[in-house]
Amino acid sequence: MAADVQAGRGGEEPGGGLAPGDGQHGERADSPTPGLAQGTEPGAGQEGAMFVHTRSYEDLTSPEDGGAAARSPEERRGEAAGPSSMEQISKDFSELSTQLTGMALDLEEEMRPGKEGKLEPAPQAARHDSVLSGKEEEDVTMDAWRMHRKHVFVLSEAGKPVYSRYGSEEALSSTMGVMMALVSFLEADKNAIRSIHADGYKVVFVRRSPLVLVAVARTRQSEQEIAHELLYIYYQILSLLTWTQLNHIFQQKQNYDLRRLLAGSERITDNLLDLMAHDPSFLMGAVRCLPLAASVRDAVSTSLQQAKAKSLVFSILLSGNQLVSLVRKKDQFLHPIDLHLLFNLISSSSSFREGEAWTPICLPKFNSSGFFHAHISYLEQEMDLCLLLVSTDREDFFTVSDCKRRFQERLRRRGVHHALQEALRTPFYSVAQVGIPDLRHFIYKSKSSGLFTSPEIEAPYVREEEKERLLGLYQYLHSRAHNSSRPLKNIYFTGPRENLLAWVTSAFELYICYSPLGTKAGAISAVNKLMKWIRKEEDRLFILTPQTY
Amino acid sequence: GDQGHEPPRHCPTYIYKVVLLGSTAVGKSSLAYRYVKNDFQESLPTVGCSFFTKIIRMESATVKLEIWDTAGQEKYHSVCHLYYRGAHAALLVYDITNKETLGRAKQWLKELEKEFLHDEIVIALVGNKMDLAEEREVPLFSSQEGEEFARSRSLLFAETSAKSNHQVKDVFMAVGKTWGKHEASQAWTGPLGRGCCPVALLPPSPSAPAA
Ligand SMILES: Nc1nc2c(ncn2[C@@H]2O[C@H](COP(=O)(O)OP(=O)(O)O)[C@@H](O)[C@H]2O)c(=O)[nH]1
Ligand SMILES: [Mg+2]
C-alpha cells in the first residue's frame, strides 16, 4: 500500500487550479451586478477561501496524469472513430440496449465526437440573453424525472467488470463484451469522453486509464453532466484505493479482478449515485453550509481550531450534507469534490453513529497517491452532527480521538451547545423568509468561496418525483448555461408549471424558480431583491471567515 | 474518560483491548454493538475500523474495555496488524450458516499465532448467528470444526447470536476472565504507557451452549 501522504501538494500535482480563489477583494457591493468581481459577491470569504478554486468541469475532467490536458482539440478530433467503427458501435449498442431494457430500440442514433478539451465556455460564443420556451423544451424537462433511470458500469481496460449499479453479476458479464467493443473505440485517446445518442438514451463513456466508466442514461442531462457524474464515481474509487495503488495493481496484472478489492464498498458508490440525483451540491460543484448565526459558527470553528494535533490537516464538522465548520492546516486547501466524497462516505453508512471510526481514505483531488486517516464520529446520539478529523498519521488514533474530546469540552465551555442544537432543529430555511411572493426556490453559488445556498424545497414540490423534477430543471438550465459550444449567461425559461431564470457571471451563479404566472420583468426585480437578501444574510448562510490551525 | 464520568481517584483503571476479526458480514459489528449498546440493527456496515469503549466498574478497579472492530476487507489488510497490535484478546468470529467463514477465521488464527506468543493473547472462536440454527453449515460437534477445533488449539469457544442476544456478554466476559489468569504478573504498556493488570470479571460462562 502506498505510503502515507504528507500534507501538501506539489506544483506538479494534477487537478488544475491550485490557487485558492481569493483573488481580488474589492468593495463588497450592496446590490451585485454582472460586473461584480470575483471575491466580492455575496458569500465570498473575507479572508480567502477554504477550497481550492474550481472552475466546474475542466477541474473534474483534468486527467490524473496531466498528460492529455495539454493536447489541442484538433489532435483529438483527428482520433475520432471512422465511419466503419461507428457502424459497429451502432450495432453493438443496439444489442446492449436490448440487454438492458429487454426491448429493441429503433436505432437512429446520432454519433457525436467527444466534447472534451473545450469545456470552458468560450466567452465570445456566449449569448447574453436567451428566452427558452417551455413548449419547445417541455418533453425534455417533463421526461427528466419520469425516465429517471441511469445504468452505470465501471470496467477495467481489459474488460473485467468492476462495478454495476443495477445489473446482477451475470447480466454484467454478458454486457461487458459489448461494452468492450464500444470501449475499443476509445483506444486512441486515454482520457476521452465520448457519447452515443439514441432514441431517448445517451451512452456516455469516460476513460480514465486503467478504468473505463460507462453510463446509459435516459435522463436528459447533457453528456457533460453525465460525464461529470462518472468522474465522481472514478474519484470515489480512487478514494478507496489511491490512484497509485490502482495503477500499480493493473501494471502487475492487466486482468486483475478489482471487485475483490472493492468488496463491501459497492454501497458507497450506490449511495453516491443516489445522492447525485437528489443533492444539488454535485451539480453546483459547491458546498452548502448549515445556516448558523456567525457568532455560533465562529465559536464552533475556534473550538475546532484549538483542538488540534500535529498530524491533523482538516477538521470538519457537518450535519446532513451541510457544512457547519471547516478548519484546515495553513496553506492546505480542500477541494469541494473531496469534501463531497467525504459527505457521501458518511451518509453511506449508519455505522458511524456508533463508536469511533478510523479509516484510511484518499482525497484524490488533494493527493491521489496516498492515504489520509480519517477519524469519524457523531458528537451525540441524538444530534445530527458528525465530526471528521483528517490526519496524516495512521498511528495517531488516540491523539486524534483526544482532539474530539477536547473539541467537545471547548464547545461546552463556550456554551454554544444549546445554540447549535437549536440550529439543527431547522437545518433548512424557508424561501418565505426572502419575502418575494412568486419566488418558489433558488440556488445561489458564490464562485470564489465554492459555497452555495438554497432554501428548503417546499410546495408544490412535495413528492419525491416533484423534487427530482425541479432538480432536473436546474440541471437542464445548468447544462445550457455551461454548454461548451454555446454557453448562455442569462436564461429565461417558461413552462406550464413554473418559470425559471438562470444568471451566470464570473462571480456567481443564480438559478431561481418562480410561479408560472410571474412575468420576466417580475423575475428580474425578484433577482435584485433576492441578491440583496442574500447579501444581508450572508454571514449566516456562508462561512465568511474560514479558520486555520 | 470520554464517557463523561471519571472513576473515583483511589480506584485504578485498567485498559483491556479486544479485537474482533473475521470475514465480512459474520456479525462482528453486531456483536460489538450488542455488547456495548445492548441493541441490534439490521445494517451496520463497517468502514475501515470502528472503536468502541465500555467501562466496567468493579469494587477495586475500573476496566476500560476497548473494542476494535475491523471491516475485514482485503483493501484494509495492510492496516489490520496495527489494530491487533497490543491486543489482550481476540474474538475470531465466523457465521455458523457459512462454512467458508470458519476457514477464514482459521486463517486469522494463523496470523495471530505469527504475531503473538502463545500466552500473550486470549483467543476465542465465536460462531455467530446461532438463531439461524436451521441454516447451519458448521456443525457444532464434529472433530474438525467449531468447538472441537477450538478445543484442540486451546481456544475459548462459544456460539452466539447478536440478534437474539445469546451469550454475547458471556463471550466478552470470558476472554477477560481467562486473560486475568494467564497474565497475572504481566502488564502491557501501550504507546500511551497504558498499563493493565488482572481483574476479576464476572464468572465465566459455559463455553458450549446447548444447541
Ligand atoms: N440472524 C442473525 N443475523 C445477524 C447476527 N449478527 C449479525 N447479523 C446480520 O449479519 C449481517 C452482517 O452483520 P455485521 O455486524 O455488519 O457483520 P460484520 O461485517 O462482521 O461486522 C447484518 O445484516 C446483520 O444484521 C445474528 O446473530 N443473527
Ligand atoms: Mg462490521
Side-chain angles (χ1 to χ4, degrees), chain A residues 57-58 61-63 68-69 71-81 112-120 185-186 188-195 204-208 223-224 227 231 484-485:
Chain A
Y57 295 120
E58 67 274 29
T61 52
S62 68
R71 298 157 71 197
S72 72
E74 281 73 24
E75 262 180 285
R76 289 161 184 233
R77 257 197 296 279
E79 290 161 355
R112 292 190 197 171
K115 293 260 165 93
E116 78 286 3
K118 281 192 71 184
L119 293 178
E120 178 134 43
F185 160 63
L186 300 172
D189 192 339
K190 285 266 176 188
N191 290 290
I193 293 167
R194 304 266 183 215
S195 63
V204 180
F205 297 87
V206 170
R207 180 165 173 184
R208 282 290 178 278
E223 68 244 44
Q224 282 164 311
L231 284 160
S484 57
S485 53

Side-chain angles (χ1 to χ4, degrees), chain B residues 22-31 40-46 69-71 128-132 160-164:
Chain B
S23 312
T24 305
V26 294
K28 299 180 296 298
S29 304
S30 301
L31 285 169
F40 180 77
Q41 275 184 17
E42 280 299 328
S43 170
L44 279 173
T46 314
D69 169 29
T70 60
N128 189 40
K129 307 197 189 179
M130 74 157 294
D131 56 294
L132 300 177
T160 59
S161 168
K163 189 170 184 170
S164 62

Side-chain angles (χ1 to χ4, degrees), chain A residues 133 293 326 335:
Chain A
S133 131
L326 189 160
H335 194 291

Side-chain angles (χ1 to χ4, degrees), chain A residues 1 240-241 245 256 260-265 267-268 345 348-360 371 373 376 381 394-395 397-399 401 405 408, chain B residues 1-2 4 6 15 17 24 29 33 37 41 43-53 64 66 68 73-79 81-83 85 191-192 194:
Chain A
M1 197 169 284
L240 294 166
L241 298 173
Q245 196 188 352
Y256 184 83
R260 254 179 57 201
L261 219 48
L262 294 176
S265 38
R267 86 203 128 71
I268 304 177
L345 176 74
S348 71
S349 176
S350 53
S351 69
F352 295 119
R353 292 194 171 269
E354 313 305 333
E356 300 166 51
W358 182 242
T359 181
F371 281 113
H373 294 269
I376 305 169
Q381 246 351 276
R394 70 179 179 190
E395 308 275 331
F397 173 82
F398 286 103
T399 315
S401 177
R405 189 192 54 75
Q408 286 185 291
Chain B
D2 54 2
E6 292 292 331
I15 287 168
K17 176 172 173 178
T24 305
S29 304
Y33 191 60
K37 302 269 161 89
Q41 275 184 17
S43 170
L44 279 173
T46 314
V47 176
C49 181
S50 296
F51 177 80
F52 301 89
T53 51
K64 185 178 172 195
E66 293 181 354
W68 290 85
Q73 289 157 23
E74 196 175 336
K75 65 175 173 292
Y76 298 123
H77 260 192
S78 62
V79 279
H81 75 276
L82 289 163
Y83 297 149
R85 191 181 56 203
L192 300 179
R194 298 169 304 144

Side-chain angles (χ1 to χ4, degrees), chain A residues 94-167:
Chain A
S94 96
E95 282 165 24
L96 176 66
S97 315
T98 312
Q99 288 179 38
L100 291 173
T101 63
M103 60 174 197
L105 284 170
D106 179 20
L107 280 179
E108 284 179 299
E109 70 266 63
E110 29 166 338
M111 209 34 237
R112 292 190 197 171
K115 293 260 165 93
E116 78 286 3
K118 281 192 71 184
L119 293 178
E120 178 134 43
Q124 68 276 16
R127 292 225 324 244
H128 276 264
D129 197 43
S130 119
V131 178
L132 303 176
S133 131
K135 282 248 158 10
E136 176 193 325
E137 308 290 349
E138 176 68 343
D139 59 326
V140 169
T141 51
M142 294 270 284
D143 287 350
W145 59 273
R146 221 183 314 125
M147 313 219 308
H148 192 82
R149 234 175 113 82
K150 190 187 291 155
H151 293 270
V152 173
F153 306 94
V154 182
L155 47 156
S156 71
E157 284 174 320
K160 277 256 156 75
V162 172
Y163 168 81
S164 161
R165 188 184 191 184
Y166 298 116

